Amino acid sequence: MALVPFDDRDGWIWLDGQFVAWREAKVHVLTHGLHYASAVFEGERMYGGEIYKLTEHTERLFKSAEILDFEIPFTVAEIDQACKETCARNGLTDAYVRPIAWRGSEMIGVSAQDTKIHVAIAVWEWPSYFSPEERAKGIRMCWAKYKRPSPETEPVHAKATGLYMICTISKHAAEKAGYTDAMMLDYRGYVAESTGSNVFFVKDGALHTPTPDCFLNGITRQSVIALAQAKGFEVIERHIKPEELADFTECFVVGTAAEVTPVSQIGEYTFTPGNISLSLMDDYAKMVRRQLQPA
Ligand SMILES: Cc1ncc(COP(=O)(O)O)c(C=O)c1O
């Protein structure tokens, strides 16, 4: 499939309060966000004309900015509205939505107190992060070389670009070795999350998921916990050691992009996508399309 570069497409991007032609939505090479990772972003999905948990995502964007010590020069309601308008302007009702806020070019040292804060919103069609074949069989993952850092090392609860450096390196290594993704441990050696999604395991009909104390407590993760509890499943949030994976029968990852995707392998451990993973995958797909009451 020919790659269509993301800077060479038709459409409109919302930039600092106005729509600009897609190809004109540019930044200068001396942009603080590019040099020092002073940027925060969101990933959202619109299903049938409605962005799932839009305000939760926008509020997380503002929280991430606050953690990075900058203030987004719009209100949450204005960004919510801009996300909807960007979808409409591009004629999309099913889309991936990417808001991003970053420090501009006024200063380019570590200190960046007087930089202007910019915000852009781009939307595009992105059907499934993993292919339908992969999702049906379950994706294969290896262990990542890098670990999720301690909250004393990085602002781990911000969805900030700098935290993705080790994700891209780990995902590339996984792909080069023939896997779809990599599972990351945390700084203590507990199972944490994949390079772009949270993880759940199944044992004896109960769900086990790592406590999000040093990585993103994903919005999808919270929705899936509520869905599972509404179906009567016990959900246990706890620290999970890698060797415990031998005792789990099913595994799946969840995230806005990944939705609910079964996993068939993590390193030396294998799983069989079963009823619980598949029924939650189905329920989540229905819930985001409002064919099922939210839990
Ligand atoms: C590293 C990481 N963890 C978890 C998630 C899941 O978060 P959410 O469900 O809010 O999309 C994402 C996706 O945004 C992610 O990039």
Side-chain angles (χ1 to χ4, degrees):
M1 199 173 71
L3 217 55
V4 186
F6 273 88
D7 59 356
D8 190 15
R9 297 180 172 205
D10 294 327
W12 298 93
I13 288 177
W14 187 94
L15 178 60
D16 294 332
Q18 291 182 31
F19 284 108
V20 298
W22 191 288
R23 292 176 183 80
E24 305 309 317
K26 293 178 178 171
V27 293
H28 194 271
V29 291
L30 292 174
T31 293
H32 197 273
L34 179 63
H35 290 245
Y36 298 97
S38 51
V40 295
F41 68 105
E42 271 306 315
E44 310 164 5
R45 276 189 189 273
M46 174 177 266
Y47 295 96
E50 216 170 290
I51 299 172
Y52 182 67
K53 303 254 182 202
L54 170 59
T55 303
E56 281 91 330
H57 280 284
T58 307
E59 282 170 349
R60 185 169 70 183
L61 182 76
F62 278 65
K63 184 78 203 157
S64 298
E66 189 191 319
I67 294 171
L68 264 66
D69 190 35
F70 65 77
E71 207 177 309
I72 293 177
F74 295 94
T75 63
V76 168
E78 283 167 343
I79 297 297
D80 276 0
Q81 186 59 23
C83 287
K84 293 183 206 167
E85 281 174 16
T86 310
C87 291
R89 181 77 179 234
N90 287 282
L92 293 174
T93 52
D94 288 271
Y96 182 78
V97 181
R98 167 58 57 86
I100 180 159
W102 69 96
R103 287 190 184 277
S105 305
E106 292 76 9
M107 297 173 77
I108 204 74
V110 172
S111 175
Q113 310 272 3
D114 296 327
T115 44
K116 179 172 157 40
I117 304 305
H118 298 274
V119 187
I121 302 166
V123 305
W124 61 88
E125 279 182 279
W126 195 12
S128 182
Y129 188 52
F130 300 114
S131 73
E133 298 77 43
E134 281 178 319
R135 291 180 85 198
K137 281 196 297 193
I139 59 167
R140 293 177 58 242
M141 304 175 88
C142 58
W143 294 107
K145 168 175 148 193
Y146 287 100
K147 296 186 171 172
R148 299 305 320 171
S150 143
E152 292 180 338
T153 304
E154 293 277 7
V156 296
H157 298 295
K159 193 167 167 69
T161 59
L163 292 166
Y164 283 82
M165 178 174 67
I166 57 174
C167 300
T168 297
I169 299 172
S170 302
K171 178 116 177 162
H172 284 188
E175 288 174 345
K176 280 180 194 146
Y179 297 93
T180 299
D181 203 350
M183 181 57 60
M184 307 182 92
L185 300 178
D186 72 15
Y187 64 104
R188 297 159 295 199
Y190 294 126
V191 176
E193 60 170 357
S194 90
T195 63
S197 54
N198 294 122
V199 65
F200 285 82
F201 300 97
V202 177
K203 181 165 74 173
D204 301 329
L207 294 170
H208 298 247
T209 189
T211 309
D213 56 5
C214 63
F215 55 86
L216 219 55
N217 179 9
I219 290 170
T220 317
R221 177 186 183 279
Q222 295 169 48
S223 297
V224 167
I225 288 175
L227 263 180
Q229 286 171 336
K231 283 174 90 80
F233 295 119
E234 186 186 5
V235 181
I236 304 160
E237 293 185 71
R238 63 182 180 86
H239 291 140
I240 297 173
K241 296 186 190 136
E243 58 270 26
E244 288 186 62
L245 269 55
D247 303 329
F248 295 125
T249 49
E250 296 181 42
C251 172
F252 54 92
V253 289
V254 308
T256 297
E259 300 175 302
V260 175
T261 296
V263 175
S264 63
Q265 182 185 353
I266 301 176
E268 59 275 47
Y269 304 104
T270 55
F271 313 94
T272 309
N275 285 344
I276 297 184
S277 314
L278 298 172
S279 72
L280 287 169
M281 180 169 102
D282 217 41
D283 282 0
Y284 180 77
K286 287 193 180 118
M287 186 183 66
V288 294
R289 290 174 181 81
R290 300 167 304 286
Q291 293 155 5
L292 186 79
Q293 281 295 310

